[in-house]
Amino acid sequence: MDNVVDRLIRYAKVHSESDHYGRPENPSTLCQFDMAKLLVEEMKGLGIADARYDEHCYAYGTIPATPGYENLPAVGLVAHMDTTPDMTGKDVKPQVIKYEGGDVVLNKELNIVMEAATFPELKKFVGQEIVFTDGTTLLGADDKAGVAIIMQAVEELLAEGTPHGKICLGFTPDEEIGRGVANFDVEGFGADFAFTLDGGEITDYEYETFNAAGAVVNVKGQSVHPGFAKDIMKNAILIAMEYASLLPPMETPGQTEGYEGFYHLQEFNGGVENVRMVYIIRDHSMERFTERKAMMQKAADTINRRYGEGTVVAEVKDQYYNMYEILKDHMDIVDLAEAAMKAAGIENPTHSPIRGGTDGCMLTYKGLLCPNLPAASHSPHGRFEYAPVESLKTGVKTVKNILSPELLKTVKVK
Ligand SMILES: [Zn+2]
């Protein structure tokens, strides 16, 4: 029998970085197929007959229900195979260190030290074994810890002969560049509901995401020689700054947390004639989200009254929505997650609002209800990413509990 740590290390060593500027469709990078192939091989090894991957690099596998348990809902388990392009995921050399407190020397030769002062969260894991990097790459526990937890839970369940309902496994490419579910085959997947395993701390699960929109604001100026500009010149740069100043100045990512939404000016490009600003707009509340989008237009109207119709054009496009809007009518799935975590020994599972989206929120809007479970990746997307061994094992227990007929029969989705 495998174990979850060996699995994480094995998967982490496979280079499967996604790329914003790679292929225009899934997968953005061909190296992600290496993960898909490996997982299909391993699923086949576990006896999952229909294990497969498609041309878009989605890997699927179905485990039919134990005879007599066909009435249980079919549970989907989803994790992403790619790692973020923000930090290299090539030649990952994971190491397991027993953490005794204080700073951690990740790499003596290169003098790469993880300082306890910068990562106070480490304190929670004193006395535990932790999977770290060698300081030169990310670990990729985001989300290979999720992959490892799912695969391990399934292997143990099958080996132990525990009865279960239908289980659907799905491993996706390109989550880190926002294209994780673009070609996800919800119908073929065959689950009644699902969970992504793509969270952090093993005690925290998630079912609320932002509502999200993007806005492109174009400002048209009028250039003329500054020497002859009186009453003629309209400087698009100054007008754009005026536009930006009409939005609530304290409602930016740098000044908000928890359930507080924001306007985020992401790009500002141009000159006297034209300026293009790119914003993202985020809010957990649908009502406030709608107000924020209206505010973008209101600001444009104000500027246009000052400088003439058509000076500012704001184009706002929705990106994704808070999955809670849908999940709130299916809270027995969320309760199932919490009960499974408790049964895995987590006394007080917590849930926090995600200040972003998940593959699960987009799947939820595609018709597959999908809250997010923790996967034990800490400080992801960088060289200091780590995954505590105990947490990984708790993750495996949580997934096995979710699949247990006892807890599952409390869910009424089917
Ligand atoms: Zn992730």
Side-chain angles (χ1 to χ4, degrees), residues 210-214 281-283 289 317-322:
F210 271 144
N211 296 293
I281 299 149
R282 300 288 187 263
D283 210 303
F289 176 62
K317 262 201 195 122
D318 288 2
Q319 293 169 324
Y320 59 85
Y321 304 109
N322 187 351

Side-chain angles (χ1 to χ4, degrees), residues 73-88:
V75 179
L77 299 166
V78 179
H80 65 89
M81 300 181 286
D82 65 315
T83 61
T84 178
D86 292 352
M87 172 89 195
T88 179

Side-chain angles (χ1 to χ4, degrees), residues 27-308:
S28 63
T29 54
L30 294 175
C31 64
Q32 294 180 69
F33 277 118
D34 294 343
M35 269 302 286
K37 278 177 203 161
L38 174 64
L39 290 175
V40 166
E41 235 167 72
E42 291 194 4
M43 284 192 278
K44 288 228 152 106
L46 296 179
I48 302 174
D50 75 341
R52 66 204 181 273
Y53 65 88
D54 63 17
E55 77 270 27
H56 291 299
C57 199
Y58 288 73
Y60 304 102
T62 322
I63 305 162
T66 315
Y69 290 83
E70 294 86 352
N71 283 334
L72 286 173
V75 179
L77 299 166
V78 179
H80 65 89
M81 300 181 286
D82 65 315
T83 61
T84 178
D86 292 352
M87 172 89 195
T88 179
K90 194 160 189 257
D91 297 324
V92 176
K93 294 179 206 75
Q95 50 178 335
V96 181
I97 299 175
K98 178 146 192 231
Y99 182 56
E100 307 284 7
D103 297 350
V104 188
V105 179
L106 295 180
N107 196 317
K108 230 187 213 151
E109 230 165 87
L110 299 173
N111 194 27
I112 300 171
V113 177
M114 185 162 178
E115 291 178 6
T118 314
F119 298 91
E121 232 199 353
L122 271 175
K123 258 198 227 97
K124 293 183 190 166
F125 307 107
V126 173
Q128 296 188 21
E129 289 194 315
I130 299 179
V131 187
F132 289 101
T133 69
D134 71 346
T136 61
T137 65
L138 50 63
L139 178 58
D142 175 10
D143 186 23
K144 288 168 180 172
V147 178
I149 287 171
I150 292 172
M151 290 294 289
Q152 187 60 29
V154 166
E155 175 171 21
E156 291 183 15
L157 199 78
L158 294 175
E160 289 158 7
T162 321
H164 54 80
K166 182 180 167 192
I167 304 167
C168 311
L169 309 182
F171 302 106
T172 61
D174 293 331
E175 188 273 350
E176 297 288 1
I177 58 167
R179 284 195 256 143
V181 300
N183 289 287
F184 194 98
D185 177 13
V186 172
E187 198 131 308
F189 190 51
D192 291 312
F193 58 86
F195 296 94
T196 46
L197 273 102
D198 194 16
E201 178 123 29
I202 207 66
T203 53
D204 194 62
Y205 64 105
E206 297 159 321
Y207 56 85
E208 293 171 280
T209 55
F210 271 144
N211 296 293
V216 176
V217 180
N218 280 300
V219 182
K220 218 170 90 200
Q222 185 158 275
S223 179
V224 63
H225 188 292
F228 310 96
K230 178 111 184 15
D231 298 331
I232 303 170
M233 183 190 277
K234 287 188 207 168
N235 188 337
I237 303 170
L238 297 177
I239 297 172
M241 285 163 67
E242 213 172 310
Y243 177 93
S245 74
L246 291 174
L247 300 174
M250 295 300 286
E251 295 177 14
T252 66
Q255 276 146 320
T256 48
E257 60 183 353
Y259 286 103
E260 296 165 337
F262 58 71
Y263 304 87
H264 174 42
L265 177 54
Q266 226 173 12
E267 276 178 45
F268 189 112
N269 290 304
V272 174
E273 270 280 303
N274 286 295
V275 165
R276 181 175 179 270
M277 294 185 283
V278 178
Y279 280 89
I280 61 169
I281 299 149
R282 300 288 187 263
D283 210 303
H284 288 98
S285 145
M286 183 52 89
E287 198 183 335
R288 285 197 307 267
F289 176 62
T290 308
E291 285 167 11
R292 283 182 194 284
K293 289 191 289 176
M295 180 70 93
M296 299 297 288
Q297 189 53 48
K298 248 172 147 175
D301 294 344
T302 302
I303 295 289
N304 287 338
R305 272 198 300 276
R306 289 179 191 169
Y307 295 96

